[in-house]
Amino acid sequence: MAPSAAPEIQELIHHPYDGRVTSFVVLSCVTACLGGIIFGYDIGVSGGVTSMDAFLERFFPEVYRRMHGGGERVSNYCRFDSQLLTAFTSSLYVAGLATTFLASHVTARRGRRASMLVAGAAIAAGATVGASAAGLATVILGRVLLGVGVGFGNQAVPLYLSEMAPPSRRGAFSNGFQLCVSVGAFVAQLINFGAEKIAGGWGWRVSLAVAAVPATFLAVGAVFLPETPNSLVQQGEEHGKVRALLSKIRGSDGAGVDDELDDIVAADRCKVTARRGLTLLLTQRRYRPQLVMAVMIPFFQQMTGINAIAFYAPVLLRTVGMGESAALLAVVIKQVVGVGATLASMLAVDRFGRRTLFLAGGAQMVVSQLLIGAIMAAQLGDDGELSQASALLLITLVAVYVAGFAWSWGPLGWLVPSEIFPLEVRSAGQSIAVAVNFLLTTAVAQSFLAMLCHMKAGIFFFFAAWLVAMTAFVYLLLPETKGLPIEQVGKLWARHWFWRRFVVPDSGDGEEEGGAIDADKL
């Protein structure tokens, strides 16, 4: 049977909400998106710093000797193979993984703003510790503190954006998180490119320290941000106050505001349910489709191989023979392409839908990964170098790959998990999505250099195979959510050719607590 069709969405919208994109909601979401800038900066800065000679010589002297021909002769693919080096990169994500369920508790009980405040403070502390580090233990401690902050930020910011945005523009607002991630990575690479030229070899300290700037703004901004109406209802706030805030957010005082508030209140089962959201999500059959998506979408997002490119693009380009400055400049150019593609995604996602961007971006990444692997397999080898023309082609293909990710799996990997959960399990669902993201990010970060050493160019074919699998997954199993109010998205699963068997009770069966969806009543 064919996947469910997007036109069914309109049948599920019983009443469109009033409202427009107000300057109030734009300012609030821009402030919240500083969390994305920090996340992108921390991803981008690690790859640049770990390709700087001064940083390698101080903290990873074995890798430095390999790069400059000292010691044993090693393959091109194995020069950077160091578990200590990858531990520096992945320690942030291990800390984020360990933090995410605590962040879920804070986000559900204290609100989205509280988690953003913790995120900003922890990241500012981590940047300060890392920039002042005198030894490897201290620089890794700085990364751990950054990870705590990123764990809180990635839990709260996507939820905040999805709940604050008007339904007709939720995709664009939520994709703003990935835009901020791309901007943060771009800024990191500009800083890396400039810091590498600082005389005296202390430029890496500048690169690590700059993360404290947006983190401070996020922490201060979180004090003044409004909480989302959904979170206020979940925390038991008086409905009259929530309606007043919702009216201000939507720029309207019409019946649509009452309709939206009614949907939010109906979605808030009870405080008991909110406290055991994770248990419900893991045990109740009616949440099975959302649980699968919360696991598989971030899993597949990492198996695109994007963080292997993001962490180690300068390292990869130095592997194929580029100098330090040239490699960092090429990464800056690559990131400009990524920012542009993410902007295109913001404009397209609410017009063409999530599924279209997923499928087209997946096809684009498959082709570019296959070509990257083919060029490296044919021309680089263990001891050779790429020609100038081949190196330029490789950079172009990396940019094509990054563009495909930046307008598909990049933003949508955060958007879709943040919009598919009912309110009573939304924070728990987001915590699972973030935890899977961190777990896979850690695995990729910790294993990529070893995989590159042993698999050589075959690693790109490995990621291409995963891209084929995830594109098929989206085509068969992900329904379209474009334009649907966030508290009505749950009704889609009862219309889906596969998932309806989990959310629609068999004839004669009693419904579980909270009520399964009857497809005939939609």
Side-chain angles (χ1 to χ4, degrees):
M1 188 177 292
S4 59
E8 290 182 353
I9 292 174
Q10 296 306 317
E11 299 175 24
L12 303 180
I13 304 177
H14 303 306
H15 39 68
Y17 300 149
D18 292 339
R20 54 189 173 84
V21 178
T22 62
S23 57
F24 179 74
V25 75
V26 169
L27 181 60
S28 299
C29 290
V30 166
T31 303
C33 264
L34 286 169
I37 288 178
I38 296 165
F39 185 43
Y41 188 89
D42 289 333
I43 290 175
V45 78
S46 61
V49 164
T50 53
S51 74
M52 292 183 186
D53 284 345
F55 183 82
L56 291 174
E57 186 176 17
R58 184 182 188 96
F59 297 107
F60 306 98
E62 179 185 355
V63 175
Y64 178 80
R65 285 194 299 272
R66 289 181 197 163
M67 282 301 302
H68 293 275
E72 76 281 6
R73 186 175 180 81
V74 296
S75 165
N76 280 326
Y77 295 100
C78 300
R79 292 177 182 175
F80 287 88
D81 183 19
S82 164
Q83 286 303 303
L84 279 178
L85 182 59
T86 51
F88 164 77
T89 300
S90 61
S91 56
L92 184 152
Y93 304 98
V94 172
L97 174 63
T99 301
T100 188
F101 290 104
L102 172 62
S104 172
H105 177 84
V106 173
T107 303
R109 294 286 192 88
R110 303 297 181 187
R112 288 45 167 158
R113 290 192 317 148
S115 285
M116 288 190 279
L117 178 60
V118 173
I123 290 168
T128 302
V129 171
S132 60
L136 181 59
T138 310
V139 82
I140 290 179
L141 174 61
R143 292 285 288 178
V144 169
L145 289 172
L146 292 175
V148 172
V150 169
F152 274 89
N154 285 10
Q155 167 69 217
V157 172
L159 289 185
Y160 188 91
L161 296 174
S162 285
E163 292 176 346
M164 289 289 284
S168 62
R169 294 289 181 268
R170 188 174 64 248
F173 272 79
S174 295
N175 281 9
F177 180 75
Q178 181 64 30
L179 175 65
C180 290
V181 172
S182 297
V183 169
F186 173 64
V187 171
Q189 287 146 7
L190 280 179
I191 297 293
N192 285 338
F193 181 68
E196 177 266 331
K197 302 180 184 302
I198 295 176
W202 52 272
W204 60 270
R205 296 189 186 275
V206 175
S207 293
L208 296 179
V210 169
V213 177
T216 302
F217 279 109
L218 177 63
V220 173
V223 175
F224 299 100
L225 284 178
E227 188 55 86
T228 70
N230 312 65
S231 180
L232 290 175
V233 169
Q234 192 175 29
Q235 295 173 63
E237 183 63 74
E238 194 269 318
H239 291 176
K241 293 182 180 179
V242 178
R243 189 195 185 284
L245 174 62
L246 188 58
S247 177
K248 185 176 181 181
I249 290 171
R250 298 293 178 243
S252 169
D253 198 37
V257 172
D258 294 314
D259 291 338
E260 185 170 1
L261 179 60
D262 288 343
D263 278 348
I264 294 172
V265 172
D268 181 40
R269 301 285 195 251
C270 61
K271 288 187 177 181
V272 173
T273 297
R275 285 197 296 267
R276 57 191 181 95
L278 184 60
T279 301
L280 282 176
L281 187 58
L282 295 175
T283 60
Q284 296 287 339
R285 180 179 172 87
R286 66 180 181 271
Y287 300 121
R288 196 64 48 78
Q290 295 99 322
L291 178 61
V292 170
M293 294 300 162
V295 172
M296 297 308 297
I297 288 178
F299 173 84
F300 283 141
Q301 186 189 50
Q302 295 309 307
M303 296 311 293
T304 61
I306 186 61
N307 277 337
I309 299 294
F311 295 150
Y312 300 117
V315 169
L316 181 63
L317 294 175
R318 293 199 71 183
T319 293
V320 301
M322 285 191 173
E324 182 178 350
S325 293
L328 291 173
L329 179 60
V331 173
V332 171
I333 295 170
K334 168 192 75 72
Q335 199 58 43
V336 171
V337 174
V339 171
T342 306
L343 279 170
S345 177
M346 291 179 66
L347 298 174
V349 66
D350 289 314
R351 180 176 180 182
F352 298 105
R354 284 65 161 152
R355 281 167 49 85
T356 299
L357 297 189
F358 265 131
L359 298 175
Q364 182 174 332
M365 287 189 286
V366 167
V367 172
S368 54
Q369 284 275 34
L370 290 173
L371 291 175
I372 290 170
I375 290 172
M376 293 186 70
Q379 296 196 29
L380 183 61
D382 285 331
D383 301 306
E385 289 190 7
L386 293 182
S387 66
Q388 184 177 11
S390 294
L392 289 174
L393 178 58
L394 183 67
I395 294 170
T396 301
L397 289 170
V398 168
V400 170
Y401 166 82
V402 168
F405 178 85
W407 59 270
S408 63
W409 278 93
L412 300 181
W414 293 104
L415 165 61
V416 173
S418 73
E419 68 180 359
I420 61 175
F421 289 97
L423 180 59
E424 71 271 15
V425 294
R426 189 168 297 151
S427 182
Q430 182 70 7
S431 71
I432 290 176
V434 172
V436 173
N437 187 289
F438 280 137
L439 180 63
L440 266 295
T441 301
T442 301
V444 171
Q446 195 66 29
S447 62
F448 176 72
L449 293 179
M451 291 172 68
L452 180 65
C453 179
H454 292 91
M455 296 176 68
K456 300 181 171 58
I459 193 170
F460 299 100
F461 301 122
F462 170 81
F463 286 124
W466 278 108
L467 281 161
V468 172
M470 67 186 70
T471 302
F473 175 88
V474 167
Y475 178 75
L476 292 171
L477 297 177
L478 181 67
E480 181 56 69
T481 57
K482 177 185 69 172
L484 194 62
I486 193 168
E487 303 303 350
Q488 296 182 28
V489 170
K491 299 175 182 179
L492 281 176
W493 308 107
R495 296 290 187 96
H496 190 272
W497 70 275
F498 178 78
W499 296 118
R500 71 185 314 274
R501 71 191 68 183
F502 294 95
V503 299
V504 179
D506 293 334
S507 178
D509 288 351
E511 292 187 2
E512 297 172 288
E513 178 188 355
I517 297 172
D518 185 345
D520 295 331
K521 294 180 181 178
L522 295 178

